[in-house]
Amino acid sequence: MEQVRSLKPRTWARKLAVESEPGLTNAQLMLTNHDLKPVEPERRQWGECVTLMLRSIWTKYEDVPNGLPTSSGTNTREFLGFFLFWLFSLPAIWFPVHKIRHLFTVKAYFVPTAGIAFFIWAIVRAHGIGPIVHQPAKAHGTDLAWGMVKGIMSSIANFATLIVNDPDFARFARKPRDALWSQLFTIPIGFAVTSFIGIIVSSSSQVIYGETIWNPLDLLTNFLQGASSGERFGVFIISFAFALAQLGTNIAANSVSAGTDMTALLPRYLNIRRGGYICAAVGLAMCPCIVGFVGAIGKPVPIGATYIYNLNFFCGFIVSFSVYWLLCWISPIPATSDRWMEVGDEIRNVSVAYGNEEGYDAESASGSDQYDKGMEAGDIDGPKHSKANENF
């Protein structure tokens, strides 16, 4: 009876384990886990927005009673919008990374179009761009200097996380040049145009309402006041575009990156899909409605802490680089080369197991014999990628 009980955890562990080659240690599994392997050519193929969408459809949505305490930092309407956004994000996590590109294709066409429409709409309501750009400056001296620093930090914040996560997607490129040119132009041009639209749209609020509204969703909320049915539809479409943009950012910056990191941590039981869903569960549980930096919500903090916060990314880069270099110098990472080792397309289904399991043929399991046969037949790509390898 005791033997039966001891077998149950092992049985469940085997059921939870990701499909892999037998006889591998955790270190070897990190090298062979399908989500972390070199990508074969055949496989290279928030909630506030939802709340605004609901308000643009149902005018009485604003009258929904609040059942949450003030200490929660949110209310029932806003939390429902966040929860719906979180819920609709779950299906996107299911798809493999090389197939989720279709979501970004739709985003690349739809979101800029909606952004330009918002840009034109704000200028029209401000009676031209002239009154917007001819507003006098209100910041001078030190305030102006720190305002520029904060602006730089805000610009870095827009794409810093995505740059760090870039290898999660760049590995699907056929060659390094494919990832180089697309980013060389899209990052500076895309963010410059986006920032320009955001500045003009936000500045238009000063002309329209007599106050500066820097959050574009708050400005859209004001557009709903006394709006016609056509204007409400416009607010819905632009809000949907914002939600789609945030969905793409959430998948790229959170789900895929967290899934990849957790796959490397526990390659025997996790893959990118499972890690993405764990990230989604943590995101819901950590109460994302509350701001994390105390000084940013008006609480008194030392002036030195405020300066560090204003230089957050520069300080973060310097500290993280120094800590990483120091730890690698104290305890070098084993099994690393002194020079960059690029893995070519010829590496397929590599096997690192050297077990003595009965009837196990390492060469056959690694696909080496199939690759040789493919080469003899004139197929320079070797054996075709099996359908089973697409099961994440």
Side-chain angles (χ1 to χ4, degrees):
M1 188 65 180
E2 293 181 357
Q3 292 181 348
V4 174
R5 291 179 180 176
S6 63
L7 288 176
K8 286 185 177 180
R10 297 180 182 178
T11 303
W12 281 107
R14 285 195 295 267
K15 289 183 178 180
L16 290 174
V18 177
E19 182 179 353
S20 61
E21 184 181 351
L24 300 182
T25 65
N26 283 333
Q28 292 170 332
L29 280 166
M30 189 179 71
L31 300 175
T32 59
N33 185 287
H34 179 67
D35 286 353
L36 300 178
K37 287 169 57 177
V39 181
E40 309 88 345
E42 298 87 350
R43 193 160 58 94
R44 291 169 182 165
Q45 329 207 346
W46 278 114
E48 190 175 353
C49 302
V50 178
T51 301
L52 193 55
M53 291 165 61
L54 295 174
R55 290 188 58 189
S56 63
I57 299 175
W58 294 288
T59 57
K60 297 297 183 181
Y61 184 74
E62 187 66 21
D63 299 331
V64 173
N66 178 33
L68 297 176
T70 305
S71 59
S72 65
T74 185
N75 55 51
T76 300
R77 298 183 302 275
E78 294 178 356
F79 185 80
L80 177 60
F82 164 75
F83 180 79
L84 290 176
F85 176 80
W86 176 86
L87 187 65
F88 293 142
S89 300
L90 297 181
I93 303 175
W94 178 265
F95 296 97
V97 178
H98 63 287
K99 291 184 178 180
I100 200 65
R101 72 183 189 277
H102 301 302
L103 170 66
F104 292 97
T105 301
V106 175
K107 172 187 172 183
Y109 285 100
F110 187 80
V111 174
T113 303
I116 293 173
F118 190 21
F119 174 72
I120 296 174
W121 192 4
I123 292 177
V124 171
R125 296 197 62 158
H127 305 290
I129 198 171
I132 299 175
V133 298
H134 289 108
Q135 298 179 75
K138 296 182 179 180
H140 305 278
T142 304
D143 292 338
L144 177 61
W146 277 110
M148 295 178 64
V149 171
K150 292 178 182 179
I152 294 174
M153 293 299 105
S154 177
S155 299
I156 295 176
N158 282 334
F159 57 85
T161 304
L162 298 178
I163 290 178
V164 174
N165 299 337
D166 182 76
D168 297 336
F169 300 91
R171 69 190 184 94
F172 287 89
R174 291 171 296 180
K175 50 185 180 295
R177 191 181 307 167
D178 293 342
L180 169 65
W181 293 111
S182 59
Q183 298 177 78
L184 185 63
F185 292 102
T186 56
I187 289 180
I189 296 176
F191 282 102
V193 172
T194 302
S195 300
F196 174 75
I197 292 177
I199 292 172
I200 296 299
V201 168
S202 299
S203 299
S204 69
S205 63
Q206 181 67 38
V207 178
I208 301 172
Y209 301 106
E211 61 175 330
T212 303
I213 303 175
W214 288 107
N215 186 346
L217 298 179
D218 291 340
L219 183 58
L220 283 174
T221 300
N222 284 7
F223 282 6
L224 285 177
Q225 298 176 5
S228 63
S229 58
E231 290 173 330
R232 302 186 76 86
F233 177 74
V235 171
F236 175 86
I237 293 298
I238 297 175
S239 302
F240 177 78
F242 274 107
L244 180 62
Q246 290 182 337
L247 174 62
T249 302
N250 189 42
I251 296 297
N254 297 322
S255 300
V256 174
S257 61
T260 303
D261 294 341
M262 282 189 277
T263 299
L265 184 64
L266 291 172
R268 186 180 300 277
Y269 301 106
L270 295 180
N271 53 27
I272 292 179
R273 175 186 291 168
R274 295 180 181 181
Y277 282 117
I278 293 175
C279 176
V282 172
L284 182 64
M286 67 186 296
C287 191
C289 313
I290 298 175
V291 180
F293 295 98
V294 177
I297 60 175
K299 299 295 182 180
V301 295
I303 188 63
T306 301
Y307 289 149
I308 293 176
Y309 175 75
N310 292 338
L311 295 169
N312 48 68
F313 278 98
F314 287 155
C315 295
F317 292 153
I318 295 173
V319 171
S320 60
F321 168 79
S322 302
V323 171
Y324 179 78
W325 180 86
L326 182 62
L327 291 177
C328 290
W329 181 75
I330 296 175
S331 179
I333 301 174
T336 55
S337 175
D338 293 334
R339 61 189 180 90
W340 179 255
M341 303 292 289
E342 185 70 31
V343 178
D345 290 340
E346 71 279 1
I347 302 298
R348 296 170 180 268
N349 300 325
V350 60
S351 172
V352 294
Y354 299 98
N356 55 358
E357 289 82 0
E358 185 176 352
Y360 177 70
D361 186 350
E363 185 181 51
S364 176
S366 67
S368 300
D369 55 340
Q370 297 179 19
Y371 186 79
D372 293 338
K373 293 178 182 177
M375 293 296 290
E376 292 174 0
D379 181 6
I380 59 174
D381 286 336
K384 296 301 181 184
H385 174 64
S386 64
K387 200 68 177 178
N389 283 342
E390 292 188 359
N391 295 328
F392 276 52

